[in-house]
Amino acid sequence: MGVTLGRKVIKGGTGNDGGSYNLGDSLADKVDTFIGISGGNLGLTACFSTPTLPTCGLQNGFYPGYAPGPLGLSTYLHDLNKDGGKEADHVYTIFSYADEIICCGDLVYGRLTTEIPNEDGKRAYTDLDHFGTKDYTTGEQYQMITEHEV
């Protein structure tokens, strides 16, 4: 949830995914580097059949839609991904194909759900669990922030 919430805060603007709100102007021009670690930017496969659970909600949850595209993606995720604007000057992602929360090889309708539109690079692992992608990649995170390299 942290990646998608962080992206929305940086992008700012209004939203109506269960309640109307205005986060103000975008902060993207003030952010040098954004690293999305194991984020469900296209939803979670575990939510295919459970859109009534709050985490998987059709409005503000991780519902991945009902068909490739993805069609029917939750309102929140659709709005978050549609504008094409970057969250920072440099945007990277870190993920693992073995992530037990993201699940299913990181795929939603054949696409990596951890990818952020217009990202500058990504680092993939095959052996880290969900929390390991944060806890055991600090060297890579530091390199992304200081040298803007993956």
Side-chain angles (χ1 to χ4, degrees), residues 8 39 52 100 107 112 117 120 123 136 143 150:
K8 180 64 177 171
T52 56
E100 77 285 8
L107 297 175
L112 297 172
D120 296 300
R123 178 67 65 94
Y136 302 121
Q143 183 177 4
V150 179

Side-chain angles (χ1 to χ4, degrees), residues 96-116:
S96 176
Y97 292 105
D99 189 316
E100 77 285 8
I101 293 174
I102 296 294
C103 185
C104 306
D106 197 58
L107 297 175
V108 171
Y109 293 118
R111 294 173 57 194
L112 297 172
T113 190
T114 52
E115 282 187 338
I116 296 174

Side-chain angles (χ1 to χ4, degrees), residues 11-31:
K11 286 184 173 218
T14 60
N16 189 3
D17 47 56
S20 295
Y21 55 88
N22 186 341
L23 296 173
D25 294 337
S26 171
L27 302 172
D29 63 337
K30 297 170 179 52
V31 181

Side-chain angles (χ1 to χ4, degrees), residues 24 60 69 80:
N60 57 10
L80 186 63

Side-chain angles (χ1 to χ4, degrees), residues 1 12 53 57-58 60-61 67 70 72-73 90 99 110 120-121 133 141:
M1 293 179 189
L53 294 177
L58 297 169
N60 57 10
L73 186 64
H90 308 278
D99 189 316
D120 296 300
T133 57
Q141 294 170 45

